[in-house]
Amino acid sequence: MRKITLLILSLTLISCSKKSSEPNSIKVGDSWLFQRQRNSSTDTFKLIVRPETTINNLKFYPLLDTTSNQSVAYINASDSIVISIPLNFQSQVYYITSRLIRANVNANDSWSDTTIISPQIKIVVNTKVDSVNVQEDVPAGTFSVTKVKQDYIYFHEGLTPPEGVLFLSQSVSINKDVIIVRIKRNSYYPSPTSEDDKLIKYTKAP
């Protein structure tokens, strides 16, 4: 579960950028620099888009965290944005896949995505659109964003309550031109942690 949390903490940095006529497209070499405030400490980190790969018959672009030199999440972006997070469980890698945002969303739209780990274990991602066309101020400037909330819930038959165990909640501010503008999250496993990531600079690959 600790690895789940660490990987998903970076998923929010995944999203879409603008490529001429396509509203949500990304390109190898695109990068995002963020200011990260975690509990009482502040630092920066950078994500870079790496060459395309295939996960469960879908094409994704890995997001490389340059501070750890690891691909922490994967993204498939068009009018909708699908993300996939690698999870190491019992010596096998699973990919927690969810729709970060769908095309033409409205406030209060919601949906749910489930990844089956085993017959007894699953992870459900509940997503809701909090608001659309609101202003978000970050070091990179002021952006018009759509705010999306995601809850990651762990279910284990016979070992968790029927409603499962919430291990991560996050609010993601998405702008079609620069992708993720801000991510505010609370993780609850293995210990409570709060994090606020604000965009410093977005760089589009040549």
Side-chain angles (χ1 to χ4, degrees):
M1 287 292 296
R2 184 170 184 270
K3 290 185 178 180
I4 300 176
T5 301
L6 291 175
L7 291 170
I8 292 179
L9 291 181
S10 296
L11 83 83
T12 49
L13 309 175
I14 315 162
S15 203
C16 52
S17 77
K18 191 171 184 179
K19 189 182 186 182
S20 62
S21 62
E22 296 181 9
N24 295 326
S25 61
I26 61 174
K27 185 177 180 181
V28 175
D30 289 354
S31 67
W32 299 264
L33 179 66
F34 286 89
Q35 172 188 291
R36 172 173 52 196
Q37 183 174 352
R38 182 180 293 167
N39 295 335
S40 59
S41 64
T42 302
D43 62 1
T44 61
F45 69 97
K46 186 177 185 180
L47 294 179
I48 298 178
V49 177
R50 304 302 296 163
E52 196 175 60
T53 188
T54 300
I55 299 173
N56 297 329
N57 298 318
L58 281 178
K59 291 182 178 181
F60 286 89
Y61 286 96
L63 280 178
L64 180 73
D65 183 339
T66 60
T67 59
S68 63
N69 199 34
Q70 293 183 347
S71 294
V72 295
Y74 300 78
I75 178 171
N76 176 301
S78 57
D79 287 338
S80 299
I81 302 170
V82 179
I83 55 176
S84 197
I85 306 301
L87 161 66
N88 292 310
F89 184 79
Q90 295 182 347
S91 301
Q92 187 170 343
V93 177
Y94 298 87
Y95 292 89
I96 311 306
T97 301
S98 66
R99 293 161 290 173
L100 180 60
I101 195 169
R102 303 184 307 187
N104 303 316
V105 295
N106 298 302
N108 297 316
D109 284 357
S110 63
W111 54 89
S112 181
D113 297 289
T114 300
T115 299
I116 302 298
I117 302 299
S118 75
Q120 294 79 33
I121 301 172
K122 65 182 178 180
I123 293 177
V124 175
V125 183
N126 293 324
T127 306
K128 181 178 180 180
V129 179
D130 280 350
S131 54
V132 298
N133 297 325
V134 295
Q135 299 300 299
E136 186 74 84
D137 295 319
V138 294
T142 301
F143 299 87
S144 177
V145 302
T146 295
K147 289 191 176 183
V148 177
K149 182 181 179 183
Q150 287 194 312
D151 289 336
Y152 285 75
I153 304 171
Y154 174 79
F155 291 85
H156 193 306
E157 186 177 343
L159 294 182
T160 65
E163 65 273 18
V165 176
L166 175 68
F167 64 91
L168 174 72
S169 291
Q170 61 185 10
S171 175
V172 187
S173 296
I174 301 170
N175 173 277
K176 66 179 182 179
D177 295 321
V178 300
I179 321 307
I180 297 302
V181 171
R182 187 175 186 179
I183 309 116
K184 297 179 70 176
R185 66 176 66 86
N186 290 295
S187 59
Y188 307 102
Y189 185 91
S191 59
T193 303
S194 296
E195 185 168 327
D196 189 356
D197 302 330
K198 300 177 182 179
L199 182 67
I200 297 174
K201 183 179 181 181
Y202 165 66
T203 303
K204 187 69 178 171

Coordinates of all heavy atoms in Angstrom, one line a residue, residues 132-177:
V132 N -16.2 24.1 -12.8 CA -15.6 24.4 -14.1 C -15.4 25.9 -14.3 O -16.1 26.7 -13.7 CB -16.4 23.8 -15.3 CG1 -16.6 22.3 -15.2 CG2 -17.8 24.4 -15.3
N133 N -14.3 26.2 -15.1 CA -14.1 27.6 -15.4 C -13.9 28.5 -14.2 O -14.5 29.6 -14.1 CB -15.2 28.2 -16.4 CG -15.2 27.5 -17.7 OD1 -14.2 27.0 -18.2 ND2 -16.5 27.3 -18.2
V134 N -13.1 28.0 -13.3 CA -12.7 28.8 -12.1 C -11.3 29.2 -12.2 O -10.5 28.6 -12.9 CB -13.0 28.1 -10.8 CG1 -14.5 27.8 -10.7 CG2 -12.3 26.8 -10.7
Q135 N -10.9 30.3 -11.4 CA -9.5 30.8 -11.5 C -8.6 30.1 -10.4 O -9.0 29.9 -9.3 CB -9.5 32.3 -11.3 CG -10.3 33.1 -12.3 CD -9.8 32.9 -13.7 OE1 -8.6 33.2 -14.0 NE2 -10.6 32.3 -14.6
E136 N -7.4 29.8 -10.9 CA -6.4 29.2 -10.0 C -5.1 30.0 -10.1 O -4.6 30.2 -11.2 CB -6.2 27.7 -10.3 CG -5.3 27.0 -9.4 CD -6.0 26.6 -8.1 OE1 -6.7 25.6 -8.0 OE2 -5.9 27.4 -7.1
D137 N -4.6 30.4 -8.9 CA -3.4 31.2 -8.9 C -2.2 30.3 -8.4 O -2.3 29.7 -7.3 CB -3.5 32.4 -7.9 CG -4.5 33.4 -8.4 OD1 -4.6 33.7 -9.6 OD2 -5.3 34.0 -7.6
V138 N -1.2 30.2 -9.2 CA 0.0 29.5 -8.9 C 1.2 30.3 -9.3 O 1.1 31.3 -9.9 CB 0.0 28.1 -9.6 CG1 -1.2 27.2 -9.1 CG2 -0.1 28.3 -11.1
P139 N 2.4 29.8 -8.9 CA 3.6 30.6 -9.3 C 3.7 30.9 -10.8 O 4.3 31.9 -11.2 CB 4.8 29.7 -8.8 CG 4.2 29.0 -7.6 CD 2.8 28.7 -8.0
A140 N 3.2 30.0 -11.6 CA 3.3 30.1 -13.1 C 2.3 31.2 -13.6 O 2.4 31.6 -14.8 CB 3.0 28.8 -13.8
G141 N 1.3 31.6 -12.8 CA 0.3 32.6 -13.2 C -1.1 32.3 -12.8 O -1.3 31.4 -11.9
T142 N -2.1 32.9 -13.4 CA -3.5 32.6 -13.1 C -4.1 31.9 -14.3 O -4.0 32.4 -15.4 CB -4.2 34.0 -12.8 OG1 -3.6 34.6 -11.7 CG2 -5.7 33.7 -12.5
F143 N -4.8 30.8 -14.0 CA -5.3 30.0 -15.1 C -6.8 29.7 -14.8 O -7.3 29.6 -13.7 CB -4.6 28.6 -15.1 CG -3.1 28.8 -15.4 CD1 -2.2 28.9 -14.4 CD2 -2.7 28.7 -16.7 CE1 -0.8 29.1 -14.7 CE2 -1.3 28.8 -17.0 CZ -0.4 29.0 -16.0
S144 N -7.5 29.5 -15.9 CA -8.9 29.1 -15.9 C -8.9 27.5 -15.8 O -8.3 26.9 -16.7 CB -9.7 29.6 -17.1 OG -11.0 29.0 -17.0
V145 N -9.5 26.9 -14.8 CA -9.3 25.5 -14.6 C -10.7 24.8 -14.4 O -11.7 25.4 -14.0 CB -8.4 25.2 -13.4 CG1 -7.0 25.8 -13.7 CG2 -9.0 25.6 -12.1
T146 N -10.6 23.5 -14.6 CA -11.7 22.6 -14.1 C -11.1 21.8 -12.9 O -10.0 21.3 -13.0 CB -12.1 21.6 -15.2 OG1 -12.7 22.3 -16.3 CG2 -13.1 20.6 -14.7
K147 N -11.8 21.8 -11.8 CA -11.4 21.1 -10.6 C -12.0 19.8 -10.5 O -13.3 19.7 -10.5 CB -11.6 22.0 -9.3 CG -10.7 23.2 -9.3 CD -10.8 23.9 -7.9 CE -9.8 25.1 -7.8 NZ -9.9 25.7 -6.5
V148 N -11.2 18.8 -10.4 CA -11.7 17.4 -10.3 C -11.2 16.7 -9.0 O -10.0 16.9 -8.6 CB -11.2 16.6 -11.5 CG1 -11.6 15.1 -11.4 CG2 -11.7 17.2 -12.8
K149 N -12.1 16.1 -8.3 CA -11.7 15.4 -7.1 C -11.7 13.9 -7.3 O -12.6 13.3 -7.9 CB -12.6 15.7 -5.9 CG -12.2 15.0 -4.6 CD -13.2 15.3 -3.5 CE -12.8 14.6 -2.2 NZ -13.7 14.8 -1.1
Q150 N -10.7 13.2 -6.8 CA -10.6 11.7 -6.9 C -10.4 11.1 -5.5 O -9.5 11.6 -4.8 CB -9.5 11.3 -7.8 CG -9.7 11.5 -9.3 CD -8.8 10.8 -10.2 OE1 -7.6 10.8 -10.0 NE2 -9.3 10.1 -11.2
D151 N -11.1 10.0 -5.2 CA -10.9 9.2 -4.0 C -10.5 7.8 -4.4 O -11.1 7.2 -5.3 CB -12.2 9.1 -3.2 CG -12.6 10.5 -2.5 OD1 -11.7 11.3 -2.3 OD2 -13.7 10.6 -2.2
Y152 N -9.4 7.4 -3.9 CA -8.9 6.0 -4.1 C -9.2 5.1 -2.9 O -8.8 5.4 -1.8 CB -7.3 6.1 -4.3 CG -6.9 6.6 -5.7 CD1 -7.0 8.0 -6.0 CD2 -6.5 5.8 -6.7 CE1 -6.7 8.5 -7.2 CE2 -6.2 6.3 -8.0 CZ -6.2 7.6 -8.2 OH -5.9 8.1 -9.4
I153 N -9.9 4.1 -3.2 CA -10.5 3.2 -2.1 C -10.0 1.8 -2.3 O -10.1 1.2 -3.4 CB -12.0 3.3 -2.1 CG1 -12.5 4.8 -2.0 CG2 -12.6 2.5 -0.9 CD1 -13.9 5.0 -2.1
Y154 N -9.5 1.2 -1.3 CA -9.0 -0.2 -1.3 C -10.0 -1.1 -0.7 O -10.5 -0.9 0.4 CB -7.7 -0.2 -0.5 CG -7.1 -1.6 -0.3 CD1 -6.3 -2.2 -1.3 CD2 -7.2 -2.2 0.9 CE1 -5.7 -3.4 -1.1 CE2 -6.6 -3.5 1.2 CZ -5.9 -4.1 0.1 OH -5.3 -5.3 0.3
F155 N -10.4 -2.2 -1.4 CA -11.3 -3.2 -1.0 C -10.6 -4.5 -0.9 O -9.9 -4.9 -1.8 CB -12.5 -3.3 -1.9 CG -13.4 -2.1 -2.0 CD1 -13.1 -1.0 -2.8 CD2 -14.6 -2.1 -1.2 CE1 -14.0 0.0 -2.9 CE2 -15.4 -1.0 -1.3 CZ -15.1 0.1 -2.1
H156 N -10.8 -5.2 0.2 CA -10.3 -6.6 0.4 C -11.4 -7.4 1.1 O -11.7 -7.1 2.2 CB -9.0 -6.6 1.2 CG -8.3 -7.9 1.2 ND1 -8.9 -9.1 1.5 CD2 -7.0 -8.2 0.9 CE1 -8.0 -10.1 1.3 NE2 -6.8 -9.6 1.0
E157 N -12.0 -8.3 0.3 CA -13.1 -9.1 0.8 C -12.8 -9.8 2.2 O -11.8 -10.5 2.3 CB -13.6 -10.1 -0.2 CG -14.8 -10.9 0.2 CD -15.2 -11.8 -0.9 OE1 -14.8 -11.7 -2.1 OE2 -16.0 -12.7 -0.6
G158 N -13.6 -9.5 3.2 CA -13.4 -10.1 4.5 C -12.4 -9.4 5.4 O -12.3 -9.7 6.6
L159 N -11.6 -8.4 4.8 CA -10.6 -7.7 5.6 C -10.9 -6.2 5.7 O -10.3 -5.6 6.6 CB -9.2 -8.0 5.1 CG -8.7 -9.4 5.1 CD1 -7.3 -9.5 4.6 CD2 -8.7 -9.9 6.6
T160 N -11.7 -5.7 4.9 CA -12.0 -4.2 5.0 C -13.5 -4.1 5.2 O -14.3 -5.0 4.9 CB -11.6 -3.5 3.7 OG1 -12.4 -3.9 2.6 CG2 -10.1 -3.6 3.4
P161 N -14.0 -2.9 5.7 CA -15.4 -2.7 5.7 C -16.0 -2.8 4.3 O -15.3 -2.7 3.3 CB -15.5 -1.3 6.3 CG -14.2 -1.0 6.9 CD -13.2 -1.8 6.2
P162 N -17.3 -3.0 4.2 CA -18.0 -3.1 2.9 C -17.7 -1.9 2.0 O -17.6 -2.0 0.8 CB -19.5 -3.2 3.3 CG -19.5 -3.8 4.6 CD -18.3 -3.2 5.3
E163 N -17.5 -0.7 2.7 CA -17.3 0.5 1.9 C -15.8 0.7 1.5 O -15.4 1.7 0.9 CB -17.8 1.8 2.6 CG -17.0 2.1 3.9 CD -17.7 1.3 5.1 OE1 -18.4 0.4 4.9 OE2 -17.4 1.8 6.3
G164 N -14.9 -0.3 2.0 CA -13.5 -0.2 1.7 C -12.8 0.8 2.6 O -13.3 1.3 3.5
V165 N -11.5 1.0 2.2 CA -10.7 1.9 3.0 C -10.1 3.0 2.1 O -9.4 2.7 1.1 CB -9.5 1.1 3.6 CG1 -8.5 2.1 4.3 CG2 -10.0 0.1 4.6
L166 N -10.4 4.3 2.4 CA -9.9 5.4 1.6 C -8.4 5.6 2.0 O -8.1 5.8 3.1 CB -10.7 6.6 2.0 CG -10.3 8.0 1.4 CD1 -10.5 8.0 -0.1 CD2 -11.0 9.1 2.0
F167 N -7.6 5.6 0.9 CA -6.2 5.8 1.2 C -5.6 7.0 0.6 O -4.5 7.4 0.9 CB -5.3 4.5 0.9 CG -5.3 4.2 -0.5 CD1 -4.3 4.6 -1.4 CD2 -6.2 3.3 -1.0 CE1 -4.2 4.2 -2.7 CE2 -6.2 2.9 -2.4 CZ -5.2 3.4 -3.2
L168 N -6.3 7.6 -0.4 CA -5.9 8.9 -1.0 C -7.0 9.7 -1.5 O -8.0 9.1 -2.1 CB -4.9 8.6 -2.2 CG -4.5 9.8 -3.0 CD1 -3.5 10.6 -2.2 CD2 -3.9 9.4 -4.3
S169 N -7.0 11.0 -1.2 CA -8.0 11.9 -1.8 C -7.2 13.1 -2.4 O -6.2 13.5 -1.8 CB -9.0 12.5 -0.8 OG -9.8 11.5 -0.3
Q170 N -7.6 13.5 -3.6 CA -6.9 14.6 -4.2 C -7.8 15.5 -5.0 O -8.8 15.0 -5.6 CB -5.8 14.1 -5.1 CG -6.2 13.2 -6.2 CD -5.0 12.6 -7.0 OE1 -3.8 12.7 -6.5 NE2 -5.2 12.0 -8.1
S171 N -7.5 16.8 -5.1 CA -8.2 17.7 -5.9 C -7.2 18.2 -7.0 O -6.1 18.7 -6.7 CB -8.7 18.9 -5.1 OG -9.3 19.9 -5.9
V172 N -7.6 18.1 -8.3 CA -6.7 18.4 -9.4 C -7.3 19.5 -10.2 O -8.4 19.5 -10.6 CB -6.5 17.2 -10.3 CG1 -5.4 17.5 -11.3 CG2 -6.1 16.0 -9.5
S173 N -6.5 20.6 -10.4 CA -6.9 21.7 -11.2 C -6.3 21.6 -12.6 O -5.1 21.5 -12.8 CB -6.4 23.0 -10.6 OG -7.1 23.3 -9.3
I174 N -7.2 21.4 -13.6 CA -6.8 21.1 -15.0 C -7.1 22.2 -15.9 O -8.2 22.8 -15.9 CB -7.5 19.8 -15.5 CG1 -7.2 18.6 -14.5 CG2 -7.1 19.5 -16.9 CD1 -8.1 17.4 -14.8
N175 N -6.0 22.6 -16.7 CA -6.2 23.6 -17.7 C -5.8 23.0 -19.1 O -4.8 22.3 -19.1 CB -5.3 24.8 -17.4 CG -5.2 25.8 -18.5 OD1 -4.5 25.7 -19.5 ND2 -6.0 26.9 -18.4
K176 N -6.6 23.2 -20.1 CA -6.3 22.5 -21.4 C -5.0 22.9 -22.0 O -4.5 22.1 -22.8 CB -7.5 22.8 -22.4 CG -7.5 24.2 -22.8 CD -8.7 24.4 -23.8 CE -8.8 25.8 -24.3 NZ -9.9 26.0 -25.3
D177 N -4.4 24.0 -21.7 CA -3.2 24.5 -22.4 C -1.9 24.0 -21.6 O -1.0 23.7 -22.3 CB -3.2 26.0 -22.5 CG -4.3 26.5 -23.4 OD1 -4.5 25.8 -24.4 OD2 -4.9 27.5 -23.1

